[in-house]
Amino acid sequence: MLDFLRRRWFLVCITIVIAIGVYAGQTGSQDTLAQVKLFIRPSWLTAIVLFLMSLSLNSEHLLTSIKKPGPLILSLATNVVLLPLIAWALLPLQLTADFGIGLIIMACVPCTLCGASVWPRRGGGNDGISLMVTMITNGACFITVPFWILLITSREVEFDRVAMITKLFYAAMLPVVFGQILRMNSQIKAFADRITSRLGTVALVFVLFMVLLAAVQTGYGIQTSEVGISLAAVAVVWISCIVVHVSGFAANLLLGKTFRFAPRDRIASAIAGSQKTLPIAVFVATDASMLGNAGIPSAVFPLLMFHTSQFFIDTILADRHREKYFEAELEQAAAETEPSLTACEQ
């Protein structure tokens, strides 16, 4: 049990935080939500999380993905283009407008800085690819995210284009760039490499605060919703989140096999291409200045569904790939060793 909690503490905490936050928002008042917003500022937390994760990214590994750019290009195409298109196709199926907007926001945000490094390594993948996808998608999100959201939801929601681009630039791109600039100092780089796991832990704690805000806002949205939120609507959007993630993963993996990428490159490309980051998604969904007077109180619920589901799913997929990858290595090693043993016997 202790070993499970040590390895899965974030998933356990995020489940508890979601339950507490939704309950507090559903039973509380507008003052409750206002107080939470007073202490939890998504823009600042997003910048801090992205800075900490960028500071821990070893850019030296990026060269391995540039030498053979095929898996990198495929992963970028999956993350930036394919997933938004899949979510767009599933949009008419949503039974609640807020859930549909939340699904689109989650599909349009960049690759997660934490998961895209942890899970490829867990699956025996090439983390140089995942790191490069992380850097590019987060650095360009102030352009790609507004583009897709405005293209898909322009008829349903009126977003403030200038505010969205400006805030994403300051809260998402600059922290990533600043973190990498600091790593150019050898002492800072060595220190960051020594405490990489601690930086990741601190970043995840800040993410939990953002999840709490999102959960409280979701609960309050459920309480004040005029149309109500049915279990059917929750089930449809949750299944849609899983479909978007798994479809992106499967399409990327199949294309990787078709193009004959190495197994390490395939799993890294598939995971980085199909994962999405929570901080930027919550930032976009909860910042009123970007949403104008649209008001999408329950849009954060699909963000939590997608983020939690992708980690559970990718844990299984990464472990299976690692087993298959190492089994193939062992079989190859045994095949190479057998002729030598036969020759020695003769």
Side-chain angles (χ1 to χ4, degrees):
M1 176 62 72
L2 291 177
D3 183 62
F4 174 83
L5 292 176
R6 181 178 60 82
R7 292 184 292 117
R8 302 284 188 272
W9 70 269
F10 180 70
L11 296 178
V12 174
C13 288
I14 199 173
T15 302
I16 296 174
V17 167
I18 290 172
I20 293 174
V22 171
Y23 176 79
Q26 192 171 8
T27 58
S29 62
Q30 189 173 4
D31 291 337
T32 304
L33 180 60
Q35 290 176 0
V36 174
K37 287 184 175 181
L38 182 64
F39 291 102
I40 302 178
R41 302 297 178 89
S43 58
W44 284 99
L45 289 179
T46 300
I48 293 172
V49 169
L50 296 185
F51 168 74
L52 292 175
M53 296 310 300
S54 176
L55 191 62
S56 66
L57 292 179
N58 191 343
S59 57
E60 293 177 355
H61 294 170
L62 303 181
L63 295 176
T64 61
S65 63
I66 298 176
K67 294 178 181 178
K68 295 181 179 180
L72 171 63
I73 295 173
L74 177 60
S75 188
L76 289 173
T78 301
N79 196 281
V80 178
V81 179
L82 181 59
L83 263 62
L85 290 177
I86 296 174
W88 195 354
L90 296 173
L91 185 59
L93 301 178
Q94 306 311 311
L95 303 179
T96 302
D98 289 3
F99 283 1
I101 301 299
L103 177 66
I104 296 301
I105 291 175
M106 196 66 202
C108 296
V109 296
C111 176
T112 174
L113 285 101
C114 175
S117 297
V118 174
W119 269 261
R121 292 175 187 174
R122 185 185 184 99
N126 180 358
D127 59 354
I129 294 173
S130 59
L131 293 178
M132 181 61 85
V133 173
T134 295
M135 292 292 294
I136 294 176
T137 57
N138 280 270
C141 73
F142 73 100
I143 296 175
T144 58
V145 173
F147 169 79
W148 280 111
I149 292 179
L150 294 172
L151 176 65
I152 298 174
T153 65
S154 59
R155 295 182 180 178
E156 291 83 5
V157 179
E158 184 178 350
F159 288 90
D160 189 328
R161 296 165 174 80
V162 177
M164 181 177 292
I165 293 174
T166 303
K167 291 205 167 189
L168 284 173
F169 177 80
Y170 285 114
M173 181 180 180
L174 287 187
V176 173
V177 174
F178 186 54
Q180 286 296 299
I181 290 176
L182 287 181
R183 283 188 63 89
M184 293 180 181
N185 182 287
S186 58
Q187 293 181 345
I188 295 178
K189 175 184 174 183
F191 177 73
D193 289 341
R194 287 197 303 269
I195 62 169
T196 296
S197 60
R198 296 179 183 177
L199 289 175
T201 300
V202 173
L204 290 178
V205 171
F206 282 117
V207 170
L208 287 176
F209 281 105
M210 297 188 68
V211 170
L212 176 61
L213 171 61
V216 172
Q217 185 161 336
T218 297
Y220 185 72
I222 294 174
Q223 178 193 156
T224 58
S225 176
E226 297 179 357
V227 297
I229 298 176
S230 64
L231 291 177
V234 173
V236 169
V237 74
W238 204 326
I239 293 173
S240 298
C241 290
I242 294 174
V243 168
V244 171
H245 178 65
V246 174
S247 297
F249 182 96
N252 191 294
L253 202 63
L254 290 174
L255 288 173
K257 291 181 180 179
T258 302
F259 295 138
R260 298 183 179 179
F261 296 152
R264 295 181 68 249
D265 295 341
R266 290 203 302 264
I267 188 64
S269 178
I271 291 177
S274 59
Q275 284 197 352
K276 293 292 182 175
T277 185
L278 182 64
I280 295 178
V282 173
F283 176 42
V284 172
T286 58
D287 194 289
S289 64
M290 285 193 288
L291 302 179
N293 297 321
I296 46 175
S298 301
V300 291
F301 202 31
L303 314 183
L304 304 179
M305 296 176 182
F306 192 106
H307 191 264
T308 305
S309 299
Q310 74 178 4
F311 283 166
F312 279 106
I313 293 170
D314 288 352
T315 298
I316 298 173
L317 296 175
D319 287 346
R320 287 187 176 181
H321 182 273
R322 188 177 184 87
E323 292 174 2
K324 183 177 180 180
Y325 178 68
F326 281 114
E327 285 176 3
E329 273 194 340
L330 292 174
E331 290 176 0
Q332 183 178 359
E336 292 175 352
T337 305
E338 186 176 354
S340 299
L341 293 175
T342 305
C344 290
E345 290 174 358
Q346 293 177 347

